[in-house]
Amino acid sequence: MTSRAFPTLSTPAGPVPHDAPHWNRQRRSQMPSHRYLAPHDRVDVPLTERSWPSRRLTSAPLWVPVDLRDGNQALAEPMDPARKRRFFELMLAMGYKEIEVGYPSASRTDYDFVRLLAETGLAPDDVTVVVFTAARRDLIERTIDSVRGLRNPVVVHLYTATAPTWRDTVLGRTREELKELILSAGRDVLSLAGDLPHVRFEFSPEVFTLTEPDYVLELCDAMTTLWDASPERPVILNLPATVEIATPNVYADQIEYMHRNLARRDGVILSVHPHNDRGTGIACAELAVLAGAQRVEGCIFGNGERTGNVDIATLALNMHAQGIDPMIDFSDIDEIRRTVEHCNGIDVHARHPYVGDLVHTAFSGTHQDAIRKGFAEHRARAAADGVDERDQEWRVPYLPIDPADLGRSYDAVIRVNSQSGKGGIAYLLETGFGLELPRRLQIDLARRVQERSEAAGTEQTADDLWQIFAESYLTRGGGPELAHYRVDGGRTHVTVRVDGREHEHRSDAEGPVETLTAALAAAGITLEVLALHQTSIGTGADSDALTLLEYRDDRGIAWAAGRARSVLDASFAAVLRAAEGKAG
């Protein structure tokens, strides 16, 4: 594939000129963009004033997962009965109260699954079962047959494509002819199921986004009149972005136009069903709710034809991240993901919002440092306020929600590779081994870890980091030995063995570490201790002491470490590690 420049971008001041400076120069692409109409050339929404831009989301909409029907139709290998049942049980466990379970007139498996619900009581009484059908009498009859005996509330979902291209190319109908076809199907639904008290009706003008607003309003009002929509028995009008063709604000305008102009509005549940052709399905759904939609159909992780249905897990967790109860339980996100992957036979991308394996993981050094500091500040604020950390307001950089809300541990929040910095390395050593490293040692260790990561080309685990730390600062390779020491009150006596000869030093005024360095100096090994930092490895009574020593010798400033059961022995071990000249 040859390299091509992108088309000229437009700015509020106009298009960027082609004679702009070289860093901003662009040329026309070779793509035939002139073949495609702009949205306003396809559908002109007669809305001059809109209220949705100033509204705020305050509560969750009604959720309707369509994985078992719409999502299933998009699978290369549709779900067998066992996978369908497992997926259905997952949605019940998550708390969904309305579920589209299939297209019983189009598939024997779907028909049998609806019958399973009718005959076994698998669905709790408070869960509404939705079945989908095209506008043809024989298909409607089979659909109604499938739900007979269900004690649950039932929605019969009738759909027909209404956009001009579909009318002309697919259906071969005029506007009036198509309206009569839809009304005839509506009458069939009414005659077959209208007397059933637990059955309600739903109508979708498929490809709503490409249908003339006056025509779709005419169709919807005709259906609510036919089905006698009322607050006691509302009709669902579902307005799908079957094919995304415009920016999300255009879809919001279309929804607000319908919301404002529908007849029997108090007897209508206004629903949306966005697809994701332009990659903006989630934005379309959020703006549609602002524009008056009360119900959202989609798939849990966005599976569906082409680029998918709207991802209702992301929608719900977006609300959670804004302090709004999504009314659905995502507290075990990994189990949800495993089940969806098994049933669909499609892996969820590692960077998928909220659920992907890497969405809470930082490799970048600056991100890691900010997250580590954010965790520490969060703990400190919770302690100061006297509340549990899970109840404290969440303000941790780069993490819009607490991974623990989704059942995730913090183990994978920070991971280390060649792009990582001192903060991430320090975090993994602290969480994995209880080490608290001073800043200057973090910088020195980060350099060593980066060299190792770049050479290996792989991620470094907490165990890998500990190995690098130990090899760099802790492991002894020979050199001076501590032959004897005694600390008695304020007096210290130290004897060191260097090259087989013993050297001792006694002091009444110096501390044990100073006395040891003096003994080493007597043997010709001079080093200046700049700082000592005490920490431990692990927690509890069985943890070892770890001394981190910053020192200067004739080669410059470096670090060494010592590990022992006591703090004093660990400090002596750190000095001897520095004295052997292996830490620089």
Side-chain angles (χ1 to χ4, degrees):
M1 180 176 178
T2 58
S3 176
R4 297 175 177 174
F6 290 103
T8 301
L9 297 176
S10 293
T11 68
V16 177
H18 291 287
D19 59 353
H22 68 87
W23 45 264
N24 202 25
R25 190 177 302 147
Q26 294 170 309
R27 57 181 181 144
R28 296 186 183 279
S29 76
Q30 299 177 42
M31 299 173 64
S33 302
H34 63 278
R35 301 169 59 210
Y36 303 96
L37 294 176
H40 60 268
D41 292 328
R42 301 185 186 196
V43 177
D44 187 18
V45 185
L47 190 70
T48 56
E49 295 182 2
R50 49 196 54 79
S51 60
W52 62 261
S54 61
R55 291 178 180 165
R56 298 291 181 268
L57 295 174
T58 58
S59 61
L62 302 172
W63 301 114
V64 184
V66 297
D67 297 81
L68 299 181
R69 194 275 302 172
D70 203 341
N72 191 46
Q73 288 177 265
L75 298 178
E77 297 182 8
M79 286 180 254
D80 57 27
R83 286 188 291 157
K84 255 196 177 258
R85 178 168 182 162
R86 181 171 174 183
F87 209 141
F88 183 73
E89 290 172 339
L90 168 72
M91 291 188 281
L92 294 179
M94 294 173 68
Y96 287 106
K97 296 300 182 181
E98 186 173 350
I99 301 170
E100 191 167 87
V101 298
Y103 195 160
S105 64
S107 161
R108 180 72 197 186
T109 300
D110 280 18
Y111 183 91
D112 289 345
F113 184 73
V114 180
R115 294 310 305 154
L116 175 71
L117 299 182
E119 294 164 5
T120 64
L122 182 62
D125 291 347
D126 62 345
V127 172
T128 297
V129 171
V130 183
V131 287
F132 190 74
T133 181
R136 208 174 78 194
R137 184 174 179 88
D138 60 323
L139 303 181
I140 294 169
E141 288 176 343
R142 184 161 176 79
T143 302
I144 302 302
D145 286 344
S146 73
V147 300
R148 293 195 185 281
L150 258 172
R151 67 173 184 271
N152 300 80
V154 173
V155 170
V156 177
H157 183 177
L158 176 73
Y159 83 97
T160 302
T162 56
T165 300
W166 277 253
R167 292 197 307 262
D168 299 339
T169 305
V170 181
L171 302 173
R173 305 267 180 157
T174 65
R175 283 175 50 144
E176 284 304 315
E177 289 170 341
L178 183 60
K179 179 180 178 181
E180 180 51 38
L181 182 149
I182 292 169
L183 286 172
S184 176
R187 287 189 286 269
D188 289 337
V189 170
L190 191 60
S191 67
L192 292 167
D195 60 338
L196 301 177
H198 65 295
V199 173
R200 292 186 293 112
F201 307 130
E202 175 177 357
F203 171 61
S204 284
E206 191 190 4
V207 210
F208 159 78
T209 45
L210 282 166
T211 303
E212 306 93 330
D214 67 312
Y215 183 53
V216 77
L217 183 63
E218 178 184 339
L219 292 174
C220 287
D221 284 348
M223 294 299 283
T224 55
T225 299
L226 173 66
W227 287 339
D228 193 22
S230 67
E232 295 73 31
R233 194 177 185 181
V235 167
I236 300 165
L237 292 177
N238 186 54
L239 306 177
T242 310
V243 180
E244 271 200 313
I245 52 94
T247 50
N249 61 297
V250 175
Y251 189 51
D253 279 354
Q254 292 175 305
I255 298 303
E256 182 159 341
Y257 172 77
M258 296 294 291
H259 168 61
R260 289 187 184 187
N261 292 286
L262 281 169
R264 301 185 179 227
R265 183 63 186 89
D266 61 349
V268 169
I269 296 173
L270 192 58
S271 177
V272 291
H273 182 120
H275 278 246
N276 197 45
D277 300 87
R278 303 180 77 253
T280 57
I282 290 168
C284 281
E286 290 179 326
L287 297 191
V289 173
L290 292 175
Q294 301 152 286
R295 179 180 182 270
V296 177
E297 297 183 354
C299 289
I300 291 180
F301 295 133
N303 177 49
E305 295 97 343
R306 304 180 308 279
T307 61
N309 293 279
V310 69
D311 181 335
I312 57 174
T314 299
L315 279 168
L317 291 170
N318 284 352
M319 293 185 172
H320 173 69
Q322 296 170 353
I324 300 170
D325 185 350
M327 308 301 288
I328 300 296
D329 185 4
F330 291 94
S331 61
D332 191 353
I333 196 75
D334 289 321
E335 175 60 23
I336 296 169
R337 187 198 70 241
R338 284 190 292 267
T339 300
V340 173
E341 287 178 332
H342 167 76
C343 294
N344 285 341
I346 299 174
D347 290 340
V348 173
H349 195 280
R351 294 293 182 186
H352 192 106
Y354 300 108
V355 67
D357 282 336
L358 297 179
V359 294
H360 298 127
T361 301
F363 291 104
S364 161
T366 54
H367 287 212
Q368 292 173 340
D369 185 58
I371 291 170
R372 184 175 66 89
K373 291 174 179 174
F375 275 138
E377 174 65 18
H378 179 75
R379 289 191 292 268
R381 283 190 290 108
D385 294 344
V387 300
D388 188 275
E389 290 180 25
R390 293 301 308 280
D391 294 323
Q392 181 69 24
E393 180 185 348
W394 182 254
R395 288 182 291 165
V396 174
Y398 298 111
L399 293 177
I401 69 171
D402 185 346
D405 292 351
L406 307 180
R408 291 260 174 95
S409 71
Y410 298 136
D411 293 344
V413 169
I414 294 178
R415 289 163 60 179
V416 171
N417 63 13
S418 61
Q419 302 297 311
S420 304
K422 64 184 187 305
I425 295 164
Y427 176 84
L428 286 186
L429 287 175
E430 181 177 349
T431 56
F433 297 94
L435 302 188
E436 296 182 7
L437 304 183
R439 177 180 172 80
R440 292 188 300 277
L441 178 53
Q442 292 177 26
I443 295 170
D444 190 78
L445 177 59
R447 171 179 58 82
R448 300 170 187 270
V449 171
Q450 185 171 31
E451 291 173 354
R452 184 75 61 90
S453 297
E454 289 177 342
T458 58
E459 179 185 341
Q460 303 296 311
T461 66
D463 288 338
D464 295 331
L465 296 178
W466 170 254
Q467 183 178 353
I468 296 170
F469 174 86
E471 292 173 356
S472 301
Y473 309 110
L474 190 60
T475 304
R476 295 292 307 275
E481 297 176 353
L482 183 63
H484 169 76
Y485 80 86
R486 184 176 71 253
V487 178
D488 185 8
R491 185 174 181 79
T492 304
H493 176 201
V494 172
T495 302
V496 295
R497 185 179 298 111
V498 179
D499 296 331
R501 297 182 58 188
E502 292 188 352
H503 306 267
E504 67 177 59
H505 186 77
R506 302 171 186 265
S507 174
D508 295 326
E510 297 173 318
V513 170
E514 291 85 352
T515 303
L516 176 57
T517 58
L520 290 168
I525 301 174
T526 302
L527 58 88
E528 177 186 0
V529 175
L530 302 177
L532 280 173
H533 301 267
Q534 306 294 344
T535 183
S536 61
I537 302 173
T539 58
D542 294 332
S543 61
D544 281 351
L546 186 72
T547 296
L548 307 170
L549 172 73
E550 187 178 20
Y551 68 95
R552 181 180 9 239
D553 61 13
D554 55 1
R555 292 161 299 178
I557 295 175
W559 289 84
R563 176 180 183 175
R565 293 296 296 172
S566 74
V567 171
L568 181 57
D569 287 344
S571 299
F572 282 161
V575 173
L576 294 172
R577 174 64 174 81
E580 73 181 31
K582 299 289 187 181

